[in-house]
Amino acid sequence: MTALHKILSISDFEREAKKRLPKAIFEYVRGGTEDEASLNGNRAVFDQLVFRARGLRDVSTRTQAVTILGHTYASPFGFAPTGVNAIVCHDCDTKLATEATRSRLPYIVSGASNVAIETLAKLAPHCWYQGYFPGDRTRIGNIADRLKSAGVQTIVVTIDTCVGANRENNQRNDFTIPFQLTTKLIGSGLMHPRWLLEVFAKTMFTTGTPRFVNIYETMGPSITENTTDGFRAGRDRLTWEDLKWLRERWAGQLIVKGVMHPQDAELAAATGMDALIVSNHGGRQLDSAIAPLQALPDVVRGVPATLPVFIDGGFRRGTDVLKAHALGAKLVFMGRPQLYGAAVAGSAGIAKVVDILRTEIDRDMALLGCKDLSEVRADLITARGAPDISPASLT
Ligand SMILES: Cc1cc2nc3c(=O)[nH]c(=O)nc-3n(C[C@H](O)[C@H](O)[C@H](O)COP(=O)(O)O)c2cc1C
C-alpha cells in the first residue's frame, strides 16, 4: 500500500481508495448516473478556462481566509454533505466533523449521515445541516426543532433529489440502499480484509449496523432496513412554497443546494435564502446536466451581489477553486475527495486532503499575483483557445 507521504494529489487519493475499498463501495462514492455525462462534464469544464497571471506584485504575505455569513474560514473550500459515510471509514462523520473544526473549514452534515447531529454539532459547532426534506411541513418543522435544540444554526435544503437517481453502476455492483448483503458483496469484502476488519467489523462491534440517525426528528432506520414509506418518500412534493414557509419559521440561516437555473437562483433570492449552492449533486442525479462551473456566471448575475453563491462538483485542485472564485463563487465544496482521504487513512487522510488543497491554493495565489481572495477576479481567467491569427490581428 502506498504510504501517505507518497500521496501528492487528490487523484492519488482516488487511486489509492480504489485499492482499499470493496468495488461496490468505491463505485458508490466515485460514480455518477447513467452515462456519467454530468460527472465527466463537471471535470472537463475546468480545462476550458485558463489563467493569465500577473507578475511582479508583492505576494509575500498571503491569506486565503474568507468571511461568509458572519463566520471566518481559513480556506475558501469545505466539505459537502455526503450520506452513508459509515461504509467508507469507521466513524467517518465524527472524523469529518473533527477535521473541519481543526482546519477551520465549512462543513455540511448530510441528512443521510450516521452519527447523531447532536454529537456532530458539539464537535463542529458551526456545522450546517443538509436536509432531504419531504413535502410535509410537519416533518420539516419537527426536524427544524431538533436542529435548533442541537444548536445548529444553518439548514441547507437539497433541491435536486426529488426522486432517486438511476445509478446503473450501483445496480451492477449489487449496491442498494437499503443495503443488502449479497454473495457478490461478501466476496468483494473478503478481498479487502483491511476494510472488512477496520470498517465493517469495527463498526458492527461498536455501534452496530449504521443508521440514518439524522433523517427524521427521531432515530431513522438502519441502512439495511426497508421502511414502509421509504425515507425518500414525499420529496417529489417539496416546492418553493414549502421553503417560503420554512423561511418564516426558521430564524437561522437557510441555504438551497442544487441550483442550476438562473430563475431558481432568482427564486432563492426572492424566498429569502441566505446563500445558494450551484450543484448537480456531483453528477449523481440528472445526467447530461450543465456543469456547475458553466452554470455559475448566470447564477451570479441573476442574484443580488449581497447573496453569497457557493458551488460544488468536480473540484480537485487549487486552480479549480480559484477559477470558481474568479467567477464569483465565495465558497467551493467537495464531496468525494475527503471520502477518499478517509478511506485511505481515516483522520490523517482527511487532513492530508485538506492540506494538499490548501497548499495548492496558497501557491497558485502567489503565482497569480494575488495576496488575498479579493484579488482573484475574472480578469485573471480567459477561455482556452488558439491565438487569433487573422491578418488584421497580426498587423
Ligand atoms: C458518496 C456521496 C454521497 C453524497 N450524499 C449527499 C447527501 O447526502 N446530500 C447531498 O445533498 N448531497 C450528497 N452528495 C453530493 C455532494 O454533496 C456534492 O454535491 C458532490 O459530491 C460534489 O461533487 P464532488 O464529489 O465532485 O466534489 C453526495 C456525494 C457523494 C459522492
Side-chain angles (χ1 to χ4, degrees), residues 131-199:
Y132 276 140
F133 290 155
D136 172 342
R137 293 183 186 177
T138 309
R139 292 236 322 249
I140 301 173
N142 290 344
I143 299 170
D145 289 345
R146 176 177 170 192
L147 296 173
K148 192 172 170 214
S149 309
V152 173
Q153 288 149 29
T154 305
I155 296 180
V156 177
V157 182
T158 295
I159 65 167
D160 54 20
T161 46
C162 52
V163 292
N166 183 19
R167 299 190 194 154
E168 291 164 6
N169 70 332
N170 286 355
Q171 291 176 48
R172 290 198 180 97
N173 293 316
D174 276 7
F175 184 96
T176 53
I177 297 286
F179 194 75
Q180 303 295 331
L181 268 187
T182 63
T183 40
K184 198 171 181 178
L185 284 176
I186 293 167
S188 173
L190 289 174
M191 282 162 65
H192 295 82
R194 195 181 132 146
W195 176 88
L196 205 60
L197 230 73
E198 292 182 10
V199 184

Side-chain angles (χ1 to χ4, degrees), residues 80-83 110 130 132 158 257 281-282 284 312 314 316 335-336:
T82 52
S110 163
Q130 171 266 326
Y132 276 140
T158 295
K257 172 175 184 280
H281 215 100
R284 297 165 76 82
D312 74 24
R316 302 292 182 266
R336 296 172 179 91

